[in-house]
Amino acid sequence: KGPAGSLWTFLYKHYLKSDGSISKYSASWFHRSTDNGKTWEYMGMVPYEFDHEKDPGAAKRYGFGEPDMCFLSKKKAFALHRTTDGTGMGPLYITWTDDEGKTWTKPEYFDDRGVWPQTISLENGIILAGYGRSGLFIRPFCNGDWFERIAVVNPSEYQRETCSYCALLATGPDTAIIVYSDFNYPDENGTPRKSIMVRKILTEA
């Protein structure tokens, strides 16, 4: 959901470059609906750009995937972009827009991992970002600053502890719930089982 009741959808696919060729990398695409999803308007795109120092294998990757977007105001928002793919674990990147998704800043390194990033803005001004693989983390944003990530599931052997996908839902002005998988939650006999977990998050600005 976006400002003024708008709806947003995020895609990742290849795109036509200025020279008329199709990029071998996927980009993050942003579309908006102002009529409850009946029609959609293309707003903008973030082409794949990377930092070789942060990700030496970046040139072999598929590109950006699974973007998510969070508004700070009517026009200002940020987006997170996955790069983890079949070539291995990759960084999460962040971009910013000041014109409601039409143009975006150059992608910058956000963290060393991050599949299916999810974001939520609370009424107290705190924004939460959930992401992981390996592990699962929550990272808060408040008063213009990102804070250190907090482990929800501690990382271990790759995809042996959680799928690292999550969902976030606001439940009050300063609270939210996070839904995620835990592959090692003990059953009544103490045997580790794959489980769906729901935890409450309490924030303080």
Side-chain angles (χ1 to χ4, degrees):
K1 295 181 179 180
S6 60
L7 299 175
W8 289 75
T9 188
F10 319 120
L11 308 174
Y12 51 101
K13 62 178 183 176
H14 299 281
Y15 64 97
L16 195 66
K17 298 194 295 185
S18 58
D19 63 3
S21 64
I22 296 176
S23 173
K24 66 178 182 178
Y25 298 116
S26 63
S28 296
W29 296 62
F30 300 86
H31 293 76
R32 178 187 68 176
S33 174
T34 57
D35 56 8
N36 297 315
K38 295 182 179 68
T39 60
W40 294 89
E41 174 188 9
Y42 168 78
M43 296 297 288
M45 178 187 67
V46 180
Y48 177 60
E49 294 186 55
F50 49 83
D51 183 338
H52 261 304
E53 292 186 3
K54 298 290 187 180
D55 185 14
K60 297 180 180 180
R61 296 197 182 279
Y62 178 80
F64 284 147
E66 296 180 348
D68 192 45
M69 182 182 185
C70 186
F71 280 91
L72 280 71
S73 65
K74 183 178 179 180
K75 297 287 186 181
K76 187 177 181 64
F78 69 86
L80 299 175
H81 313 263
R82 165 184 174 163
T83 64
T84 291
D85 60 9
T87 65
M89 193 170 80
L92 194 62
Y93 284 84
I94 188 170
T95 55
W96 296 84
T97 179
D98 286 314
D99 56 9
E100 206 174 0
K102 296 181 179 69
T103 60
W104 293 87
T105 60
K106 179 182 175 66
E108 296 181 344
Y109 175 89
F110 181 77
D111 208 338
D112 66 352
R113 68 197 68 196
V115 301
W116 194 252
Q118 295 292 291
T119 57
I120 192 168
S121 180
L122 301 179
E123 292 179 20
N124 65 354
I126 292 178
I127 290 173
L128 301 174
Y131 59 91
R133 192 174 299 171
S134 56
L136 178 64
F137 300 89
I138 285 288
R139 190 171 178 186
F141 178 86
C142 183
N143 296 326
D145 291 316
W146 286 102
F147 291 80
E148 293 296 319
R149 67 190 190 192
I150 301 165
V152 178
V153 179
N154 287 314
S156 63
E157 189 178 351
Y158 192 74
Q159 293 196 74
R160 293 287 183 172
E161 75 290 57
T162 175
C163 68
S164 303
Y165 281 40
C166 71
L168 291 167
L169 177 69
T171 54
D174 59 354
T175 59
I177 58 172
I178 181 170
V179 184
Y180 61 98
S181 64
D182 186 332
F183 294 170
N184 298 291
Y185 191 78
D187 66 11
E188 64 274 11
N189 298 315
T191 304
R193 301 290 187 183
K194 288 186 177 181
S195 305
I196 298 300
M197 310 293 292
V198 181
R199 294 176 70 175
K200 183 177 180 179
I201 301 171
L202 174 62
T203 67
E204 184 177 343

